[in-house]
Amino acid sequence: MTTDIRTNRHSAQPASLNRRDFLVRSAVGGGLMVGFRLAGIDPLGEAHAQSAASSLTPWILIAPDSTVTLQIASTEMGQGIMTGLAQIVADELRFDWSKIVVRHAPVDAAHGGANASPYGRFTGGSLGIRLFSPALQQAGANARQMLIQAAAAQWGVSTAGITANNGAVSGVVGGVSRTLPYGALATAAAAIVLPANVGLNQYPRVAVGASVKRVDTPDKVTGATKFGIDIWVPGMLFAAVKHCPTIGGTVGTVGGKPRNAIAVVPVGATATSAATGVALVASTTWDAMNAARSIGVNWTAPLDLASRDSAAISARAAVLMASGSALIDRAADSGALATGLSRPNVGLNQTYQVPYLAHAALEPLNCTVQFIAATSTSPAICNVWAPTQGPDAVVATTRALCPAGTTVNVVNTLPGSGFGRKFEQDFIREAVQVGLALPGKTVKLTWSREQDFAHDQYRPMALINVQAACAPATGIVSGWKFRTVTPSISVQRGGDPARVDHAAVEGATGAYALDTAQVEWVRHDATIPVGYWRSVGLSMNTFAVESAMDELAVAIGWDPIQLRLANLRDARMIAVLNAVATLSGWSSPAPAGRARGVACGIGFNSYVAQVAEVSRDATSGAIRVHRVSTAVDCGTAINPDLVKAQIEGAVAMAMGPALWQQQTFVNGVAQVTNYNRYRPVKIGDMPQIDVSIVNSGAPLGGIGETGVPCVAPAIANACARLMGAPARRRTLPFFPGTTLGEL
């Protein structure tokens, strides 16, 4: 089987050298495969390296021409982890970073489980570099030592005085300087088994900390990069899905097959539930989508339609806020809390609200499956190409659906963004069900944009009440009660409803040293499906926390940054807040007609503070964000440009939900089904974004989600400063119902 897909490659690799050629040449001409042996054919039809019995981790390949290929178990979604991880490995291997080729690792046992990370193979929680760098860093160090030992053996000397640097091993043998490139030693080094992991590189870092160019940019610019939606196999078929318009509805009866459809396949069924949609298979995606639109289906709607209505969900949230039974995440002494919230301290009692949000990834959900039925001499095989954040979950989903004994092969393709949505398995399940219904065929299932929006695993809504008080003389917050009503992502996935869902309450006290604070969570029982959205609970709770802190500052007449500093004890957060004050020019007046607002927080082991500078159009009322200044401490910036790029992207993404975006429902039917009513930030909306990186040297923090949570409260605080306290926005978005062409 052949395809037209190519794996990711660095521009330094000759275009004519594909993975098959590389591995074949390595096998024939000699090469180092750290912990590898050649075995089998992967679903792309290319020879693949798989793990051998070795204590080394199988991440690094070295060719005779000294090309180094790094395989990563995490998923590159545009966040730059291919580049950052390559920088870490380059420094351990003491190799020219620009000559490293990076690709996703095979989805097999050798590259999964504890070999990949302590938590296996998934990409989320801003862990792309943090989770996988220890294994890859150690692999680089081990490979370096193997090369040194191979050179020592060839020269008949001990390893003392032999060094590896810049792709070559050097030493003095019999008074003569000797040097061998890594490629010349690769075959011999491959036979060496180290008794234990070696020490990490003690030399100064060269690649880490440098703003080197991204490895994935050249092919993306030229269009050579293949995402999941680009998978193509000769003779393949294409499928589109039509779900019940009502969330939770199931397939009743299906009308006749449309003329341009090859097959109609019920999809979405599980062991405990009926099919939730039908897939239409055709010779092109266009035909499949047209067939999906035209087919007649009688749906069985859920019985609790009224509870799946946005108005009903909001009304229920208000009832639960007033009288719902809460789980306590952080308890305060009731007497101390009452005293802290009472006079002479200046108090606040405000409620904040955020809506359901769609992931709205640019690449819609898709998955390609080829199922080959078992014969008398071979087991069944199921090949899956998936743009996924969780390759191991895809393997598990596929195995659960396939006949017992089926060999499952999964290729983790590049996804066109994910934001948490591509960790879910609903679209994978549907694609495998279609593949099983058409054995011997390769079928790519693609959700339409409308299906993607209307059947998401949404960021939950939340209704949050903050009661707080502080002393006017000191600015110290004397009491803090945070009560949130929000659905549970965990419980919807089988989690214990008697335990606090961390995602529901994370960030409920912000970065602050609050001696008297209570955090309560009331689980909303709405049945709208919810999932992990970029920065998860921090995206909801930081809005409430940082808005409340600003309101306290106004109430006692304090500068908002000074009030925050008065309630901070963490030196890193203090440094970051001071850095953003300097970067934004906080102490100087804003330009005429503008105002600034600030927000700060801790998330994913990183510290961030942001200042938004805004104005308001007197005619339309539209809010214009002119500038967002960000200071961030992620421990050590592996690649400063990647950090800045992630902040820039996060600001652009977070502005949409702050100003315009939300998902609403009427009797279980999603009302927003495309970007025309889910207004994204356009080029003309983009503010100036300035980023100051504070390198504290602390353990690595995440950066992929760090820039999202503070954007909305910073804008809200700036607007309140601009227009006065009565105009403060406590409900997001500021302009609900805005279409793509408005404001």
Side-chain angles (χ1 to χ4, degrees), residues 415-583:
S417 67
F419 310 128
R421 181 63 175 99
K422 288 174 183 170
F423 185 78
E424 306 293 351
Q425 298 298 297
D426 48 354
F427 67 106
I428 304 294
R429 182 180 303 107
E430 292 179 350
V432 173
Q433 288 170 336
V434 174
L436 291 172
L438 296 163
K441 300 293 185 179
T442 303
V443 187
K444 177 164 65 181
L445 174 70
T446 305
W447 285 29
S448 68
R449 183 69 65 195
E450 290 75 15
Q451 295 297 314
D452 205 353
F453 267 95
H455 296 277
D456 202 346
Q457 309 282 312
Y458 302 96
R459 199 285 306 271
M461 56 71 63
L463 186 69
I464 302 168
N465 177 259
V466 178
Q467 297 179 49
C470 66
T474 65
I476 300 297
V477 174
S478 53
W480 181 272
K481 184 179 180 181
F482 184 99
R483 181 178 172 93
T484 179
V485 178
T486 185
S488 172
I489 301 172
S490 172
V491 170
Q492 283 200 7
R493 285 156 172 73
D496 185 354
R499 299 183 63 180
V500 174
D501 183 348
H502 172 71
V505 297
E506 62 182 329
T509 56
Y512 304 106
L514 305 177
D515 294 327
T516 305
Q518 180 152 312
V519 176
E520 302 177 356
W521 170 51
V522 182
R523 181 170 64 88
H524 200 305
D525 50 7
T527 53
I528 300 297
V530 292
Y532 298 97
W533 187 91
R534 191 177 186 182
S535 77
V536 204
L538 288 172
S539 69
M540 306 179 290
N541 298 329
T542 303
F543 174 65
V545 170
E546 288 301 294
S547 294
M549 289 297 290
D550 231 62
E551 294 202 63
L552 283 173
V554 172
I556 66 171
W558 274 51
D559 175 85
I561 286 185
Q562 292 306 313
L563 181 78
R564 287 168 169 81
L565 288 171
N567 289 279
L568 291 172
R569 295 176 192 158
D570 190 310
R572 292 177 67 190
M573 190 72 257
I574 292 171
V576 166
L577 194 55
N578 282 324
V580 84
T582 300
L583 181 66

Side-chain angles (χ1 to χ4, degrees), residues 135-390:
L136 296 181
Q137 189 174 21
Q138 189 62 62
N142 288 352
R144 170 170 42 85
Q145 183 62 25
M146 292 165 68
L147 291 161
I148 289 173
Q149 290 189 16
Q154 183 168 328
W155 294 331
V157 298
S158 72
T159 59
I162 297 179
T163 60
N165 187 41
N166 199 26
V169 177
S170 301
V172 178
V173 180
V176 179
S177 296
R178 302 285 298 273
T179 299
L180 285 171
Y182 286 176
L185 294 165
T187 301
I192 294 173
V193 177
L194 297 177
N197 286 330
V198 303
L200 300 180
N201 183 13
Q202 299 303 310
Y203 293 94
R205 301 291 176 184
V206 175
V208 168
S211 291
V212 300
K213 294 180 180 179
R214 290 179 56 146
V215 300
D216 53 337
T217 296
D219 280 358
K220 288 179 177 177
V221 170
T222 63
T225 296
K226 303 301 179 185
F227 297 93
I229 204 166
D230 297 318
I231 293 292
W232 181 84
V233 174
M236 73 185 299
L237 300 176
F238 302 84
V241 66
K242 183 174 190 174
H243 297 104
C244 178
T246 305
I247 291 174
T250 57
V251 176
T253 59
V254 181
K257 183 177 68 175
R259 178 179 56 83
N260 53 349
I262 295 171
V264 180
V265 182
V267 294
T270 68
T272 58
S273 63
T276 55
V278 292
L280 282 296
V281 183
S283 57
T284 68
T285 299
W286 178 252
D287 284 340
M289 288 187 173
N290 283 332
R293 293 186 185 97
S294 65
I295 193 169
V297 182
N298 290 319
W299 305 100
T300 301
L303 298 177
D304 59 343
L305 277 181
S307 68
R308 300 172 189 240
D309 187 278
S310 289
I313 291 169
S314 294
R316 175 67 172 157
V319 170
L320 292 171
M321 178 62 75
S323 59
S325 177
L327 294 176
I328 307 300
D329 179 63
R330 175 176 171 178
D333 178 81
S334 58
L337 183 60
T339 299
L341 293 174
S342 63
R343 292 187 179 279
N345 299 318
V346 175
L348 167 80
N349 187 344
Q350 293 292 354
T351 299
Y352 307 89
Q353 188 166 5
V354 297
Y356 288 102
L357 292 176
H359 289 83
L362 189 61
E363 178 196 40
L365 300 175
N366 67 90
C367 180
T368 302
V369 175
Q370 179 196 59
F371 177 71
I372 302 171
T375 67
S376 58
T377 58
S378 61
I381 299 173
C382 192
N383 296 322
V384 180
W385 295 260
T388 178
Q389 294 175 242

